[in-house]
Amino acid sequence: MLLSDFYRPFCLLYVAFYGVKCALVRLAPYLTLGLCLHSVFFVHSLHAQTVTGPPMVLKPSSLLQETISGSVRKELPTYLQSDRISGETNLQIFLDGQTVIRRGDVLIKADQIDYDQVLDLAKARGNVFINAAGNTYQGTAIEVQLDAFEGFFTQPEFFINRNKMRGKGERIDFIDPGNFVLHKGEMTTCKRKPGPNWMPDWFFKAEKISFDTEHNLGNAQGASLRFKNVPVMPLPAIDFALNSARKSGLLPPTVGVDSAGGLEFIQPYYWNLAPNRDMTFTPTIWTSRGVRLLTEFRYLEAITPQPPFQGVMRFDYMANDNLRDSRRWAFQTSHNGMPYPAFAGGALGLSYNINRVSDDNYWKDFTSTDSLGVTRLLSNDMNVSWGKGFFTSNVAVQKWQTLQDLASTSNYISPPFDRAPQMNVKYSRANISGFDFMLDGQFSRFETVRLNNCLTNYLNCNAQRAVGQAQVSRPFVSPFGYFTPKFIMNSRSYQFDDALSTSGQTSASVSVPTFSLDSGVVFERSSQFLGRAWTQTFEPRAFYVYSPYRSQNFLPNYDSGANAYNFASIFSENVFGGYDRIADSNLVTVGATSRFIDPNTGAEGARLGLAQRLRVKEQLVTLPGESAAKAGLSDVLGGATLNLSPKWALDSTMQYNPDSGHFLSQALGGRYTPGSYRVVSASFRNQTNTSGVPQSRFVNVGWQWPISDAWKLKDEDLGEGRGLGEGRWYTVARMNMDTLRNQMVESVIGFEYDGGCWLGRVVKERFQIAENLARQKLLFQLEFVGFSRVGTNALGSIRNNVPRYQHLRLPATTPNRFGNYD
């Protein structure tokens, strides 16, 4: 084919479109002939020339803009197409038969179109179809100005591309390209199904609905929400968002049943103060307890040149709670940020977290709600930090509010020590001629509200403590292993408010040196396991630590505790955490790990590990109330992790005491995930003493599974966050049971139904709060996809409790207009 043959159709298109734009309709045939003869001559002349230089390539262009501005729209050409075209120059054009008008992001199709060039007004009749920036409209007749996109549409049906909302009405008034008003209309996200009597499962009906697609906002007057053609709630006036963007106004109300509060009704109001600040007011009415108001304020700053920070403030208030016949309140605020990122050559940070409640029973009465007092130890702290290069420092204050169980003296909690204040400095360097250094210092003032003082009980003594720690290590690392000697010097001194009851001292000082040696080797080989090729490793590790004995048992304990016995702590220099106890140690720890690694992906298919510690001599330094650790072999620590298949995962750890022959600790967990929206997880934890007497035993089971598997429905591949198809039931659950006491500690059991354009959920919660005290709640929720949720927060309960839960409808990315282009 000659290049002239390829070029000729574009000549015809050019003349057809731009000839109309210039209103030279009658001259179009002659222009067509002249331009095409010119193009053929031009192309043949190119054939006569010698082509030199690199070949021409297409260049990327940003002309396909998502939004076309008004000034640009006026300069765009108008393209017309029709079976028959007639009209007058610069005045009016008549299109008849399969007519099309296109300008920018607006396309109009109809049986007939009259276009007034003077007024830029198009009148279309018969099978009218409009695509405006991806939003489509269909109806019988329309009048619209193309540049301003101002006009009206009678008997329209519409589709909004941004949130997949569709509907119909008596009339649409177009205000501009981003705004239109629907009169006596209804809308839904349900897809149209065949049949003349089809009705969507849900729809939103109103006398007047205003749409602002540019700002993703909507407003309805005289509205109601109907489900299965039954009114769910009247909405005289409501603002709503066309996507997930924030919008001030009433949020969907929730209704539920609570074992403590009775029937509850919640009506939140959201106030979008600014792009980085908002408030939410959440009044709640309980039939058995009264009225409660929760207020939340959030703020965020992450845009330079302003210093980054974020925070939240919540206040929960009940003027009179009938459950306790008293006023109840809770306050929580937190902040984290850098007020001066370049202060004195370094970065200055500020953070605080304040938590206070009205009374000791708050943790019992509000645990099953979205309130604040859900723990018995409430920390109130503030921290100012500064760092530069290898140096960091901070000053902190921490005070505690301890909530006691007034109904049970056996459930008493000893209040922690307040730190008022605590100052920390740290300097660390790595790889200085192969050496790593660290200097760490801390000063703390400890105060307690316990009933007695250090004259009667040395554990309750207010004091100041200064701590200094210096360490140096020299790692030797090679591809096949490592060898790291380390020396640590721990020093601390105390100044007590009163003399200690154990020794009569008002001050004390302790310094403990520690030497450790850590080493490991890595061996690899190719192996076959379960019919697959693996790279198997064998990684033995030996760790030695020595710390001489220094008397410390007579000192109060402010922040030390025994480290959990696991693979991390067994290879550490100190068996205690904190600074108040540095154990006298002469230990050798030996362990080995073997891993199976996929040579193609590097994924770890299995890991097996064993470790045991040899204590050369008895450990004399102990925590208050504990006995000395005997010399000899420690418990054996073992663990295994299997991920040989994407469907199966197993994880287990155990602690075995060779002297008694009993497993002191056992934990086994597994997960089965054969496909999307199918997961079952289970775990078993067991604790015994050296005599083999069980101390605790828990079984935890959770799942998400389609019940529709019983009907052998074939899954639909709809993508992530779209479910498995319409008309399917799912069951979700998580249960944690204390099998030793035969008691259900936590249980969340529910069902979900996917109706395509709507989701239904029902969930029953039960949480054991304290001895002989449990809270139960029944949650119902309807989610109208792309619009709103009605009912209690059943989805939040499922997401927070069911392991690896997959949401049936994840928020979709905002589509562009070219995704629905004609």
Side-chain angles (χ1 to χ4, degrees), residues 147-167:
D147 278 343
F149 201 71
E150 180 180 349
F152 66 89
F153 205 151
T154 59
Q155 302 298 319
E157 295 183 1
F158 67 91
F159 172 79
I160 301 177
N161 187 44
R162 192 171 296 272
N163 64 349
K164 310 304 179 185
M165 189 76 70
R166 68 192 76 236

Side-chain angles (χ1 to χ4, degrees), residues 293-299 310-317 329-336 351-358 362 370-375 377-381 401:
L293 176 63
L294 173 62
T295 304
E296 179 183 72
F297 170 66
R298 301 185 301 175
Y299 57 91
Q310 62 180 354
V312 63
M313 182 183 299
R314 301 185 183 95
F315 183 67
D316 197 351
Y317 182 77
W329 58 267
F331 176 76
Q332 190 270 331
T333 181
S334 61
H335 173 92
N336 189 26
S351 64
Y352 57 78
N353 183 28
I354 310 298
N355 300 274
R356 304 293 292 181
V357 297
S358 57
Y362 208 92
D370 58 349
S371 189
L372 313 177
V374 296
T375 63
L377 287 175
L378 303 179
S379 175
N380 299 268
D381 55 81
Q401 182 182 10

Side-chain angles (χ1 to χ4, degrees), residues 303-307 341:
I303 304 175
T304 57
Q306 299 296 325

Side-chain angles (χ1 to χ4, degrees), residues 519 537-543 565-568 570-571 588-595 607-613 634-641 652-658 663 665:
S519 61
T537 70
F538 179 66
E539 305 169 37
R541 181 180 182 183
F543 180 79
Y565 194 66
N566 53 40
F567 281 97
I570 201 172
F571 292 100
V588 178
T589 304
V590 178
T593 300
S594 181
R595 296 183 293 154
R607 176 192 290 258
L608 307 172
L610 282 175
Q612 189 175 27
R613 174 184 287 164
S634 69
D635 297 339
V636 178
L637 194 62
T641 300
S652 65
T653 59
M654 66 87 185
Q655 180 182 343
Y656 176 75
N657 184 272
F663 287 94
S665 175

Side-chain angles (χ1 to χ4, degrees), residues 225 529 577 732 815 821:
L225 182 63
F529 183 58
V732 291
Y821 186 81

Side-chain angles (χ1 to χ4, degrees), residues 3-4 107 155 177 206 253 259 311 320-321 417 436 483 512 566 595 605 657 668 701 707 789 798:
L3 184 59
S4 59
L107 170 74
Q155 302 298 319
S259 61
N320 183 68
D321 186 352
F417 278 92
D436 296 340
F483 177 81
V512 183
N566 53 40
R595 296 183 293 154
N657 184 272
L668 175 64
V701 181
I707 307 177
R789 299 189 186 109
I798 296 173

Side-chain angles (χ1 to χ4, degrees), residues 549-675:
Y549 171 75
R550 297 292 186 267
S551 177
Q552 304 165 58
N553 293 347
F554 69 97
L555 295 172
N557 178 28
Y558 297 107
D559 61 7
S560 284
N563 289 327
Y565 194 66
N566 53 40
F567 281 97
S569 65
I570 201 172
F571 292 100
S572 61
E573 283 83 8
N574 191 15
V575 298
F576 303 115
Y579 289 113
D580 287 312
R581 294 292 187 273
I582 305 297
D584 52 316
S585 303
N586 193 356
L587 305 173
V588 178
T589 304
V590 178
T593 300
S594 181
R595 296 183 293 154
F596 289 83
I597 301 173
D598 190 319
N600 298 319
T601 64
E604 187 175 278
R607 176 192 290 258
L608 307 172
L610 282 175
Q612 189 175 27
R613 174 184 287 164
L614 171 64
R615 194 180 303 277
V616 178
K617 67 171 186 175
E618 183 181 34
Q619 176 188 307
L620 301 179
V621 177
T622 64
L623 292 172
E626 296 187 0
S627 57
K630 296 181 180 180
L633 292 173
S634 69
D635 297 339
V636 178
L637 194 62
T641 300
L642 299 177
N643 295 285
L644 301 177
S645 166
K647 297 181 180 180
W648 289 94
L650 296 173
D651 191 11
S652 65
T653 59
M654 66 87 185
Q655 180 182 343
Y656 176 75
N657 184 272
D659 295 331
S660 64
H662 295 293
F663 287 94
L664 304 186
S665 175
Q666 296 168 289
L668 175 64
R671 185 181 70 253
Y672 175 58
T673 312

